Amino acid sequence: RSEPRFNNRQRALLETITPHLQRAIQIYAQLNRTRSERDLYAGAVDQLSVATIILDEQARLLNTNAIAKAMLEQADGISLRGEYLHISGRDTNSRLQSAVKTIIAAQQKRETSVVRALSVPRSGNRSDLGLVVQPVPASQWSEGQSSPCAAIFISDPDLQERASQEVLGEILGLTPAEANLAILLARGL
């Protein structure tokens, strides 16, 4: 309060920076909303027992959910070699690498690409993993290093689903048979 009032030059400076400060506050609020939505969707995917892996423009691992992390640590059918995904079996691994390469190349050219699906065999009597590779929608800010380019969703039919038939039926208004079918489809069967 003891300071003198702003002079004309200081007022002009404040008028110049005020729109930028307002824009920064809007961006901050939008980032918080986006983070909340992302966390909500990630939680929903986890409830469906779907492993989620995000790859960058070099096909390096960027992020995983808890289910994918556990699956990669088990290394039964799918694993990490350094920062890159690897599938047991030369032919299946070659198909995965080709699918990822095709999707990333299309993303970099801003072209549409198709979703690719693979069946990943595992050891013993375990069911095959269902693997879907799809592009991550590019945003205008996704230029540069380590931008998400491809998402891999893996369903393990051997995992116990967390959503019971009763809860799913109640929430979505499904009969027990419809709820069972929805759970089987969500597991990749």
Side-chain angles (χ1 to χ4, degrees):
R1 291 185 181 276
S2 63
E3 294 292 321
R5 294 182 175 270
F6 289 141
N7 61 35
N8 288 340
R9 189 176 73 62
Q10 291 168 327
R11 282 192 191 109
L13 178 62
L14 287 173
E15 287 176 3
T16 302
I17 65 170
T18 298
H20 300 286
L21 292 173
Q22 289 172 332
R23 181 70 177 143
I25 291 169
Q26 289 171 345
I27 291 171
Y28 178 77
Q30 185 175 2
L31 286 172
N32 278 340
R33 278 193 304 275
T34 302
R35 187 176 299 120
S36 294
E37 287 176 9
R38 182 199 65 207
D39 292 345
L40 176 69
Y41 294 138
V45 169
D46 283 344
Q47 289 297 315
L48 293 172
S49 299
V50 175
T52 306
I53 298 171
I54 307 295
L55 304 177
D56 71 5
E57 70 281 349
Q58 301 296 319
R60 292 180 302 225
L61 181 78
L62 264 184
N63 198 2
T64 65
N65 66 355
I67 297 168
K69 184 177 180 183
M71 196 175 284
L72 292 171
E73 287 172 358
Q74 287 176 357
D76 186 12
I78 188 163
S79 61
L80 278 179
R81 285 199 177 163
E83 299 176 304
Y84 300 92
L85 285 180
H86 178 77
I87 294 180
S88 303
R90 185 182 307 168
D91 292 340
T92 309
N93 188 57
S94 179
R95 288 194 348 250
L96 169 68
Q97 302 308 328
S98 174
V100 168
K101 235 183 248 184
T102 301
I103 286 173
I104 289 174
Q107 283 292 83
Q108 290 172 341
K109 294 176 186 174
R110 304 261 190 232
E111 297 173 351
T112 57
S113 61
V114 296
V115 173
R116 304 291 174 102
L118 300 166
S119 180
V120 178
R122 294 191 291 177
S123 62
N125 292 332
R126 298 187 72 190
S127 301
D128 291 355
L129 297 172
L131 190 139
V132 174
V133 184
Q134 72 178 51
V136 172
S139 74
Q140 64 183 15
W141 307 110
S142 64
E143 300 285 329
Q145 295 286 345
S146 297
S147 297
C149 275
I152 298 177
F153 301 102
I154 306 169
S155 64
D156 182 353
D158 294 343
L159 280 179
Q160 295 295 332
E161 67 279 346
R162 295 183 191 167
S164 70
Q165 289 178 348
E166 297 83 27
V167 172
L168 192 60
E170 190 175 316
I171 291 171
L172 300 175
L174 302 174
T175 67
E178 291 169 333
N180 187 43
L181 176 62
I183 288 170
L184 292 173
L185 288 171
R187 289 170 62 192
L189 299 174

